Amino acid sequence: MIYNFDSEVNIDFDFDHIAIYKNVVDAVINKFDCQYDCEVNLLIVDNDSIREINKETREIDKATDVLSFPNNLFSVPGDFNCIDENDDVFEPDSGELILGDIVISKEKVKSQALEYGHSEMREYAFLICHSMLHLIGFDHMEDEERIEMEKYQNEIMENLNILR
């Protein structure tokens, strides 16, 4: 597993953000019995940067908490059997399945933790979990999809014992 991490801001969390990142990614991958070694990229930015990325990629001129950029199309969310090994979805040097990119606003982690009354660690872990589900094909545009995605988010966070 390759966990790429980068930050455009000073990280001043009071928890091991790299360990949480790895634990949550692993928990999602293991939940869906992925048979591949994977690569995930995480970038931590400020509200101005995530707003600009959101504007450029989604035409929404607003800061958001997390953005997900999947590298693969899953015909069935979470079903790694649908990966076409002939597609250009594997890192040529390492052979890892490239799942995609996660971008998180550090400022939103802090403000939403306060707003929701839980720790910054919980908010950070939740955003990674949420984004990882997007990277493996889940969405929440329809009620049925949202309910399924929330169920998995809750199960994964509970399994990690990262609670509100």
Side-chain angles (χ1 to χ4, degrees), residues 81-111:
N81 292 317
C82 71
I83 297 294
D84 184 347
E85 295 187 7
N86 295 317
D87 284 348
D88 190 22
V89 296
F90 293 91
E91 212 291 319
D93 294 331
S94 67
E96 268 87 4
L97 173 64
I98 304 168
L99 292 180
D101 303 322
I102 301 169
V103 181
I104 292 177
S105 166
K106 179 185 108 172
E107 292 164 301
K108 289 287 188 180
V109 169
K110 291 180 172 290
S111 66

Side-chain angles (χ1 to χ4, degrees), residues 68-151:
S68 309
F69 299 100
N71 192 55
N72 307 288
L73 293 176
F74 283 78
S75 53
V76 176
D79 182 359
F80 288 89
N81 292 317
C82 71
I83 297 294
D84 184 347
E85 295 187 7
N86 295 317
D87 284 348
D88 190 22
V89 296
F90 293 91
E91 212 291 319
D93 294 331
S94 67
E96 268 87 4
L97 173 64
I98 304 168
L99 292 180
D101 303 322
I102 301 169
V103 181
I104 292 177
S105 166
K106 179 185 108 172
E107 292 164 301
K108 289 287 188 180
V109 169
K110 291 180 172 290
S111 66
Q112 288 178 177
L114 280 174
E115 179 182 340
Y116 299 135
H118 54 241
S119 70
E120 292 177 5
M121 189 267 294
R122 195 273 178 201
E123 185 65 21
Y124 176 79
F126 174 81
L127 294 176
I128 293 170
C129 180
H130 180 88
S131 193
M132 279 297 298
L133 290 171
H134 280 308
L135 295 188
I136 63 170
F138 288 91
D139 210 341
H140 45 79
M141 299 302 287
E142 305 292 329
D143 275 346
E144 187 176 297
E145 294 172 333
R146 179 188 51 77
I147 291 166
E148 181 181 37
M149 192 167 171
E150 286 175 359
K151 178 188 86 158

Side-chain angles (χ1 to χ4, degrees), residues 34-56:
C34 178
Q35 63 268 37
Y36 302 105
D37 288 330
C38 298
E39 178 177 328
V40 177
N41 304 304
L42 173 60
L43 174 64
I44 308 296
V45 298
D46 62 17
N47 280 344
D48 289 339
S49 292
I50 207 163
R51 177 182 182 174
E52 189 60 35
I53 296 167
N54 203 18
K55 184 178 177 182
E56 288 174 10

